[in-house]
Amino acid sequence: MYDAEVREAALAAVRSGQSISAVSRATGISRSAVRSWRDGTHRSRSSECPRCGPDPSSPATATEYAYLLGQYLGDGTLSRGRGNVWSLRIACADAWPGIIAECAAAIRAIRPDNTVSRLRRQGCTSVTARWKHWPCLFPQHGPGMKHTRAIVLEPWQEELVAEHTGEFLRGLFHSDGCRITNWTPRKTAGDTRRYEYPRWLFSNKSTDILGLCSTSLDRLGIAHRFPRPDTISVARREAVATLDRVAGPKH
Ligand SMILES: [Zn+2]
């Protein structure tokens, strides 16, 4: 990427009548770059953001975005760094290397040119990438913890989540969900057997995020209840089976 000054100097030379080849030779900038600047066909960094500009759209990689939104709402943060560039950080437990890889792949799909790094801390790895426009994609960002402020999806996010509900739930359950196996002794024909039943739990302090999770479960017809105000439980056999297909297994 050339800075604006270099680009302006090259364009001035072209406008003064020099050929593209001559400007390219003199500056070392490729002919195609000079031509795209002259013709206005180059893609500036801000135009790579689907939300900035006159005709905002939702991210083209919708499945990955839905997954990453779930992960962000569960365990993600945005912080502003040098040069007004934001860092997206998704904290992933080291117990699930597959989820760390899936998170990194989702970020890479959305930002193929950015570096995705992994920062290791005790028991957890933060998958991070820097980009000026992360707040455009995650407008739920704000000061303080998520449960201390309203978390409301924008209409374009709601539409995307409605279309990719499974991926959104997958992101939520991969971050703040867990699948556990309970068991009870059961007597059958005089015989006591260990009867196991799996269930999914989703815990979050934000009532709004719990609400988004619950609405999405409803949309896929997955029965659930709130055993505690901060926890959603999916325990019915067919509901667990559906959520297994959608979200799991954690890996
Ligand atoms: Zn933007």
Side-chain angles (χ1 to χ4, degrees):
M1 209 64 169
Y2 299 102
D3 63 30
E5 220 169 285
V6 173
R7 190 172 66 224
E8 278 316 305
L11 275 176
V14 172
R15 281 195 212 100
S16 75
Q18 291 187 43
S19 72
I20 283 175
S21 300
V23 173
S24 167
R25 270 196 307 276
T27 58
I29 299 165
S30 74
R31 281 189 300 163
S32 62
V34 178
R35 190 176 303 112
S36 71
W37 293 343
R38 182 198 63 186
D39 300 340
T41 53
H42 72 281
R43 280 154 46 99
S44 73
R45 287 208 162 185
S46 66
S47 74
E48 291 167 15
C49 172
R51 302 302 307 158
C52 285
D55 189 19
S57 60
S58 56
T61 44
T63 351
E64 289 86 354
Y65 176 77
Y67 177 73
L68 200 58
L69 178 62
Q71 281 274 8
Y72 165 74
L73 292 177
D75 279 325
T77 54
L78 287 184
S79 55
R80 200 203 311 251
R82 269 183 294 126
N84 224 13
V85 179
W86 291 80
S87 286
L88 168 69
R89 279 197 182 83
I90 309 281
C92 302
D94 285 339
W96 311 111
I99 293 179
I100 296 176
E102 206 171 330
C103 234
I107 296 176
R108 210 168 287 123
I110 293 165
R111 297 296 310 151
D113 296 336
N114 292 37
T115 306
V116 181
S117 349
R118 298 171 186 208
L119 303 177
R120 300 209 59 179
R121 299 207 190 112
Q122 208 175 7
C124 109
T125 296
S126 279
V127 181
T128 85
R130 284 158 48 81
W131 186 35
K132 279 195 173 176
H133 293 271
W134 284 128
C136 306
L137 258 48
F138 299 110
Q140 284 69 36
H141 171 69
M145 308 285 284
K146 291 194 194 88
H147 67 274
T148 61
R149 59 181 198 266
I151 301 289
V152 184
L153 296 187
E154 290 198 351
W156 65 269
Q157 290 178 301
E158 271 188 16
E159 221 170 274
L160 190 147
V161 164
E163 214 172 303
H164 302 276
T165 308
E167 284 304 312
F168 178 61
L169 281 173
R170 188 176 170 82
L172 285 176
F173 277 86
H174 275 187
S175 58
D176 280 344
C178 65
R179 191 182 189 279
I180 55 169
T181 304
N182 290 1
W183 66 275
T184 51
R186 240 194 207 181
K187 274 194 171 162
T188 42
D191 205 17
T192 305
R193 290 200 180 166
R194 189 183 157 102
Y195 174 72
E196 294 191 338
Y197 57 99
R199 67 163 66 194
W200 279 96
L201 295 173
F202 177 81
S203 299
N204 196 289
K205 283 187 191 165
S206 159
T207 319
D208 289 343
I209 294 174
L210 288 161
L212 290 170
C213 183
S214 175
T215 308
S216 298
L217 289 167
D218 278 340
R219 197 175 281 132
L220 298 190
I222 300 174
H224 59 282
R225 55 188 193 86
F226 285 79
R228 288 189 299 276
D230 65 348
T231 302
I232 291 176
S233 159
V234 174
R236 278 200 209 157
R237 185 195 294 259
E238 66 282 0
V240 171
T242 308
L243 194 51
D244 278 348
R245 274 197 303 279
V246 166
K250 288 184 85 151
H251 58 126

